[in-house]
Amino acid sequence: MRKSAYGTVAALILCSASVCASQNTQQEFNQVYQAYQHAVESKNDTDKYELAKKAYLLGQKVYGKGQQNTLNLAANYAESMPDDMKKEQVALYQEIVTTTEQLYGTKSLQLVDPLLLLAKSLVESGKRSSWHKHIEHAIDIAKNSKDLVLESKVNFEAAKILFTSREYYRKAKQYLKRTDEINITHLPVDSLHRLEVDMWVAAYEAGRKRHNAAIERLTNVVDVFDNNLDFEHPYELFAHSRLVVAYERKGDREAATKHCIAIAHMRPWNDNMEQTPLYRQEPKYPTGAAKMGREGSVQLEFTVTPSGFVEDIMILNPEQGKAFQNASIKALKQWRYAPKFVDGVAVPATSRVQLDFRLRR
């Protein structure tokens, strides 16, 4: 939703004629905005904030207050604010909503994104009830548009906003359920939006320990890519990885193997990197060591088999962390990896990991 409303800001700003500012101000604005874009691309949050603020202030001179380009710049500025500026962020999003209503009316599609951004900021700032009317307003606009895809996406955005807070978990579930109902009835199975929602539903089911329901959803995602789409996508990789976790939690290690291998086909083994486990079981802190306040680390080398299992575990620092070695080995035996492929064939590969045992202070 955020991208659809403000994703073309650069084109709008750089191609629009200046009607309110001198040529020098226009040039300064262009330079600042380009620097802001670079900060976004390089993920430099400090520069991003400072440049977004400066671009917003200059933009008011270039385009005038209350204009769409200025609202886009205001949204960029609000989004870039650090966590300790939630009060200012809420106020700016509220200003964007009010001005958008003045420009387009209270039932306009242009209001959907500002309303959701305001609701998100309110939830993050701990405002208990203020967010509700803004989410419902956005949903009403989507309903009145008779655009079921938009209605689904707005409900989905509402769910994602509220899932960030345990306090609103039940309400988030309701929005996710409504999204799912619309998708199943009205969207094609190969819609990327529907596939993304399927993965969220699977995560919800897994969180409730309904592993069979989660597996059904995730398998559907994989099948859609296999049967309907002729390209690889991060959703497919993610679905395979979550299926590994779901099957392992069910105790069906062989079923998980299929997905370990599928991931290996999609994501080649890198000998220069520490391999990331698809499923890991945290070691139990030895009771004796905990009572004595002891901490330590265990370095292990092991073989990842062609099926993604862990075998041939060897302790690399046997003189250190002796109290934690058995717990480390026991946990590591439960881990699963994507195997290494050479010339299209799965082969054994060596990997290493360090497990740290630290007491909470």
Side-chain angles (χ1 to χ4, degrees):
M1 301 300 298
R2 176 77 169 83
K3 186 175 180 180
S4 65
Y6 301 109
T8 57
V9 174
L12 287 170
I13 289 172
L14 298 180
C15 295
S16 298
S18 173
V19 294
C20 306
S22 68
Q23 185 175 0
N24 288 341
T25 302
Q26 176 75 65
Q27 290 176 346
E28 183 182 4
F29 168 78
N30 290 343
Q31 292 172 353
V32 169
Y33 189 76
Q34 288 173 5
Y36 161 77
Q37 289 180 305
H38 178 72
V40 172
E41 292 171 1
S42 60
K43 298 181 180 180
N44 185 330
D45 290 340
T46 301
D47 287 354
K48 175 183 169 183
Y49 165 71
E50 295 295 341
L51 292 165
K53 178 181 180 180
K54 192 170 183 180
Y56 170 54
L57 296 174
L58 287 168
Q60 291 180 342
K61 298 177 182 179
V62 173
Y63 302 108
K65 294 183 178 181
Q67 300 303 310
Q68 184 59 62
N69 279 346
T70 308
L71 294 178
N72 293 336
L73 292 166
N76 291 341
Y77 175 36
E79 186 274 333
S80 71
M81 289 178 176
D83 291 339
D84 60 358
M85 291 185 66
K86 283 298 176 187
K87 183 176 180 180
E88 294 84 352
Q89 186 185 61
V90 167
L92 187 52
Y93 278 136
Q94 182 64 70
E95 181 181 334
I96 293 169
V97 167
T98 300
T99 305
T100 303
E101 288 178 336
Q102 294 170 349
L103 279 175
Y104 303 107
T106 59
K107 298 180 180 179
S108 64
L109 291 175
Q110 289 89 341
L111 259 179
V112 170
D113 280 323
L115 287 167
L116 291 173
L117 291 168
L118 174 57
K120 182 175 184 290
S121 185
L122 286 165
V123 168
E124 292 173 347
S125 65
K127 302 293 184 181
R128 285 184 169 270
S129 59
S130 303
W131 57 265
H132 186 267
K133 64 180 180 181
H134 302 300
I135 284 179
E136 290 300 321
H137 189 176
I139 289 174
D140 285 342
I141 292 172
K143 283 182 178 179
N144 290 334
S145 74
K146 307 300 182 182
D147 183 340
L148 288 166
V149 175
L150 177 62
E151 185 181 347
S152 170
K153 288 183 176 181
V154 173
N155 275 275
F156 187 40
E157 290 299 319
K160 289 192 287 185
I161 289 169
L162 298 182
F163 269 129
T164 61
S165 171
R166 287 191 170 210
E167 185 177 357
Y168 308 127
Y169 193 83
R170 182 175 296 180
K171 192 66 178 177
K173 182 182 72 172
Q174 293 174 4
Y175 287 129
L176 184 62
K177 181 180 179 181
R178 176 56 182 156
T179 303
D180 193 39
E181 290 171 348
I182 295 172
N183 290 358
I184 290 172
T185 305
H186 299 285
L187 269 63
V189 294
D190 58 355
S191 160
L192 289 179
H193 168 61
R194 178 170 172 176
L195 293 171
E196 182 182 7
V197 173
D198 278 341
M199 290 188 293
W200 274 73
V201 173
Y204 169 76
E205 298 289 9
R208 304 284 290 179
K209 297 185 178 180
R210 298 170 182 164
H211 300 305
N212 288 336
I215 287 169
E216 181 179 354
R217 287 290 182 139
L218 293 167
T219 300
N220 173 68
V221 173
V222 170
D223 288 345
V224 167
F225 278 99
D226 287 345
N227 301 325
N228 299 73
L229 301 172
D230 59 354
F231 59 90
E232 292 183 355
H233 191 278
Y235 291 171
E236 183 181 10
L237 183 63
F238 181 83
H240 279 298
S241 67
R242 299 315 298 172
L243 279 164
V244 173
V245 174
Y247 278 121
E248 286 288 341
R249 287 178 176 170
K250 277 191 65 181
D252 192 345
R253 307 207 80 194
E254 290 304 319
T257 298
K258 169 185 174 182
H259 302 285
C260 291
I261 294 172
I263 291 169
H265 278 293
M266 298 175 67
R267 188 182 61 188
W269 183 280
N270 189 332
D271 287 315
N272 298 319
M273 292 177 59
E274 179 182 302
Q275 299 306 309
T276 303
L278 301 171
Y279 172 78
R280 62 181 290 163
Q281 187 177 96
E282 296 300 327
K284 292 183 179 180
Y285 212 110
T287 304
K291 287 181 178 179
M292 297 176 64
R294 295 177 63 182
E295 299 181 335
S297 298
V298 182
Q299 297 171 1
L300 308 105
E301 184 176 276
F302 54 93
T303 298
V304 176
T305 73
S307 296
F309 292 99
V310 171
E311 292 184 352
D312 302 329
I313 301 172
M314 181 173 63
I315 305 295
L316 298 180
N317 59 337
E319 299 305 317
Q320 302 174 25
K322 289 184 177 180
F324 307 103
Q325 291 175 7
N326 289 338
S328 297
I329 292 172
K330 185 176 180 180
L332 188 58
K333 285 180 178 179
Q334 303 303 312
W335 290 20
R336 298 301 301 273
Y337 284 83
K340 180 178 182 178
F341 270 72
V342 176
D343 297 328
V345 178
V347 298
T350 300
S351 191
R352 294 184 177 186
V353 71
Q354 176 172 304
L355 297 181
D356 297 315
F357 291 79
R358 300 286 182 263
L359 293 168
R360 294 181 180 178
R361 303 300 182 184

